[in-house]
Amino acid sequence: MDNLSEALEKLKLASADSSTDSVESCVDCLLKALANNNTEASMKIQEMGVLPLLPSLLTPQSSCSPKVANIIAEVAKNEFMRTPCVDAGLIPPLVQLLSSADQEVLLQTGRALGNICYDSQSSKEQFASTNIAEELVRLFQTQTEHERKEMIFEVLAPLAENDVIKLQLVDAGLVECLLQVVAQTVDGEREEDIAQLKTSSDLMVLLLLGDESMQKLFEGGKGSVFQRVLSWIPSNNHQLQLAGALAIANFARNDGNCIHMVDTGIVQKLLELLDRHVEEGNVTVQHAALSALRNLAIPVVNKSKMLSAGVADVVLKFLPSEMPPVQFKLLGTLRMLIDTQAEAAEQLGTNVKLAERLVEWCEAKDHAGVMGESNRLLSALIRHSKSKEVVRTVIQCGGVKHLVTMATSEHMIMQNEALVALGLIAALDLVAAEKDFVGSSLVSVLHKLLSDERSAPEIKYNSMILICAVMGSEPLHKEVQSLAFIDVVSKLRAHENKTVSHQASLTEQRLTAQS
């Protein structure tokens, strides 16, 4: 380390009078120290203020450029060094070196840039103000070697996480390059072909995560990129099927795109893809195709079209899946499909196999997402069908207690969905639900919700509606009386929300009349 301090001092002097030989030996000493103990040497480099000296050594003419770029790559392996590298102004000179013809310079520069922008927000913003997108794309177009392409990919992937840079890369023509790589490697057997196919198709999907870049490539559904990506879905290559389905899910991020895609028959392609994966089940492909269907089902006009195309039937084939990510997307897709669709909600809500599986997943404590979605679907089946048959199915399969628990969720939207479903159960078949209502302490849950000042107005309103609805059952009526509901309800007559205060008056009259 003493040698390092000495070398750093020398480097300061040498870089000032630019005597190449002494710079070279100091640089070698730095590389040795970094190889020996990267973290300690990096701290020392930072303390002694050496980083700001490096831009002047990164010129295309300088013979020690590759070694200096290597130092930066090594230093930037440490998270604490990434921002100092940006602050020292290292990005512009490194970007300029990308136009060098020297392969060693390119390799080390690529490593340095890749490490600086790895996981660092501030450096990505700095990159956005340089011409790195154009330089990298230009460089990519001229490369034939697999290693070189991989190196550029490694810089591109973290950079493409920034939305401004996504758009710059699209404008610079990266997409055409990626499509070319896919076309060249799709039938390749070699390991490097498989690797390049994965990297380029993944990067393509990443570019579609930005709203502007995605819309630009969609071109109203006429875009050649959009058409090419569509052709990936029926391919026999799992990686391409996956990227194609993920790309559709990303294009399906606004109503206009979703409506256009459903009208042009994409649903059929996704269903055929899912059918191929029921047996040979590739989980990532299942997950991606279900994600795409879920997004496509969001606009109201798409729901009936997708139901007629048989989406629900294909999705139900994955009910036996033991994979939480697939379960989660399956539930979300069905929930989107039945929203406002009474007939479909009734059909699915009376499907005993589905109801049993939902009740089972409502207990999936290890998977909060699956648990939440099953509860929400259970409630949605009742709310959208308003059907006595669906209510009976849910009661028979043991779903009532889960809806009561859902009413105590920390998410208001879920509480509300649960209370509305419970209100419908009480209105449509109180006799059949009575035992479960008593067993799950529904009345005391409602008492808590009404007494809690933090409960939202709609929660209070729906809780009072439910209290009135269960008064027709003797055991529940007794519980209501024993819990002094009148005190809580009469306080709510002064509630600032008119709907709540009005419902409080009605509920108070009902409680008084039946006491």
Side-chain angles (χ1 to χ4, degrees):
M1 277 300 152
D2 291 343
N3 287 0
L4 176 62
S5 301
E6 201 178 307
L8 291 170
E9 283 300 346
K10 267 192 195 152
L11 183 60
K12 281 184 172 176
L13 295 169
S15 69
D17 67 6
S18 61
S19 55
T20 322
D21 296 344
S22 48
V23 169
E24 192 101 25
S25 66
C26 299
V27 165
D28 287 339
C29 181
L30 255 65
L31 282 170
K32 222 181 248 163
L34 283 163
N36 185 18
N37 184 336
N38 189 316
T39 315
E40 204 176 323
S42 295
M43 286 165 99
K44 198 85 179 165
I45 288 171
Q46 165 67 345
E47 275 165 31
M48 292 191 63
V50 170
L51 290 178
L53 307 175
L54 301 182
S56 62
L57 301 174
L58 284 171
T59 58
Q61 300 79 29
S62 161
S63 62
C64 55
S65 282
K67 285 182 180 173
V68 174
N70 188 1
I71 289 174
I72 298 168
E74 288 303 316
V75 163
K77 284 179 178 174
N78 304 289
E79 200 180 331
F80 66 88
M81 292 298 286
R82 287 173 198 151
T83 306
C85 283
V86 174
D87 296 341
L90 297 179
I91 291 176
L94 283 169
V95 172
Q96 263 185 316
L97 285 180
L98 288 174
S99 48
S100 160
D102 182 327
Q103 291 298 339
E104 183 58 22
V105 171
L106 283 179
L107 180 69
Q108 298 302 347
T109 305
R111 284 185 60 233
L113 288 169
N115 289 352
I116 292 175
C117 67
Y118 184 77
D119 259 3
S120 154
Q121 245 2 81
S122 59
S123 67
K124 284 174 199 157
E125 277 152 27
Q126 287 255 206
F127 279 114
S129 59
T130 68
N131 61 340
I132 190 163
E134 286 166 51
E135 286 294 349
L136 284 171
V137 173
R138 193 189 52 70
L139 191 60
F140 191 85
Q141 288 161 336
T142 59
Q143 294 304 324
T144 47
E145 282 178 53
H146 168 67
E147 273 76 30
R148 303 281 167 220
K149 283 186 174 171
E150 278 298 308
M151 182 272 293
I152 301 168
F153 273 141
E154 276 167 29
V155 183
L156 283 171
L159 279 178
E161 285 168 15
N162 175 294
D163 281 359
V164 179
I165 300 177
K166 278 188 182 74
L167 203 55
Q168 292 172 353
L169 290 168
V170 169
D171 289 338
L174 177 61
V175 175
E176 289 70 21
C177 298
L178 296 177
L179 289 171
Q180 221 173 341
V181 174
V182 169
Q184 286 160 359
T185 55
V186 65
D187 300 317
E189 302 284 320
R190 294 178 310 176
E191 241 174 70
E192 61 188 61
D193 287 338
I194 296 165
Q196 275 193 42
L197 179 69
K198 179 169 168 37
T199 315
S200 50
S201 53
D202 282 350
L203 193 48
M204 184 78 197
V205 171
L206 184 58
L207 290 176
L208 294 174
L209 279 173
D211 287 336
E212 283 185 74
S213 47
M214 177 273 287
Q215 215 45 47
K216 188 162 198 158
L217 295 170
F218 188 66
E219 293 178 59
K222 310 267 184 296
S224 61
V225 174
F226 172 64
Q227 298 300 332
R228 290 280 286 281
V229 167
L230 264 189
S231 71
W232 294 356
I233 295 176
S235 95
N236 288 321
N237 182 302
H238 281 184
Q239 173 58 33
L240 270 199
Q241 294 170 359
L242 171 65
L246 286 173
I248 298 302
N250 283 336
F251 279 126
R253 284 212 310 279
N254 63 52
D255 283 6
N257 292 6
C258 288
I259 292 165
H260 178 85
M261 288 195 277
V262 168
D263 288 343
T264 48
I266 280 178
V267 171
Q268 216 37 58
K269 286 193 166 74
L270 289 167
L271 293 183
E272 283 161 15
L273 176 61
L274 275 172
D275 263 330
R276 291 163 69 180
H277 284 276
V278 177
E279 298 309 321
E280 57 177 297
N282 179 308
V283 175
T284 46
V285 175
Q286 292 172 0
H287 181 261
L290 288 167
S291 298
L293 287 172
R294 181 196 173 280
N295 290 0
L296 290 170
I298 293 173
V300 177
V301 290
N302 282 357
K303 298 179 196 293
S304 55
K305 293 176 186 168
M306 291 176 70
L307 287 162
S308 318
V311 173
D313 305 327
V314 175
V315 169
L316 286 172
K317 292 180 184 174
F318 294 91
L319 261 190
S321 171
E322 290 304 329
M323 293 304 197
V326 174
Q327 297 167 350
F328 180 72
K329 285 297 174 189
L330 169 151
L331 292 162
T333 306
L334 291 177
R335 188 163 64 79
M336 284 304 158
L337 278 174
I338 62 161
D339 196 7
T340 70
Q341 307 295 308
E343 200 181 317
E346 170 132 24
Q347 212 180 345
L348 285 169
T350 49
N351 177 331
V352 178
K353 270 205 173 113
L354 173 61
E356 285 172 345
R357 196 73 163 131
L358 290 182
V359 169
E360 187 186 325
W361 285 339
C362 283
E363 292 164 6
K365 298 272 186 292
D366 303 342
H367 300 287
V370 172
M371 198 161 100
E373 277 292 339
S374 324
N375 276 303
R376 293 189 74 182
L377 181 54
L378 209 49
S379 151
L381 291 166
I382 295 170
R383 288 182 298 114
H384 296 299
S385 68
K386 299 185 173 55
S387 140
K388 190 167 183 166
E389 292 311 307
V390 172
V391 165
R392 288 219 161 133
T393 309
V394 171
I395 295 171
Q396 278 162 7
C397 294
V400 174
K401 65 172 191 279
H402 295 298
L403 291 170
V404 175
T405 307
M406 181 183 171
T408 62
S409 159
E410 65 222 33
H411 303 291
M412 190 200 79
I413 192 162
M414 285 175 69
Q415 281 185 301
N416 216 29
E417 288 171 358
L419 289 169
V420 173
L422 290 164
L424 284 163
I425 293 175
L428 292 167
D429 205 340
L430 182 57
V431 177
E434 183 180 84
K435 198 166 134 242
D436 289 334
F437 280 166
V438 173
S440 57
S441 315
L442 171 65
V443 174
S444 70
V445 164
L446 294 173
H447 191 272
K448 275 201 194 86
L449 290 174
L450 287 173
S451 316
D452 187 348
E453 281 165 15
R454 291 164 310 178
S455 294
E458 46 268 64
I459 302 296
K460 290 197 155 70
Y461 172 80
N462 282 321
S463 297
M464 287 188 281
I465 295 275
L466 193 44
I467 284 297
C468 295
V470 300
M471 294 284 281
S473 142
E474 199 179 329
L476 292 166
H477 186 179
K478 278 192 178 137
E479 283 186 40
V480 170
Q481 284 178 313
S482 70
L483 273 172
F485 265 85
I486 285 203
D487 305 347
V488 186
V489 171
S490 59
K491 277 191 194 137
L492 290 174
R493 276 178 26 211
H495 198 279
E496 58 190 358
N497 182 301
K498 290 287 171 280
T499 318
V500 172
S501 57
H502 178 63
Q503 186 56 41
S505 303
L506 295 176
T507 308
E508 190 180 32
Q509 284 164 23
R510 181 82 191 266
L511 290 168
T512 318
Q514 291 196 287
S515 59

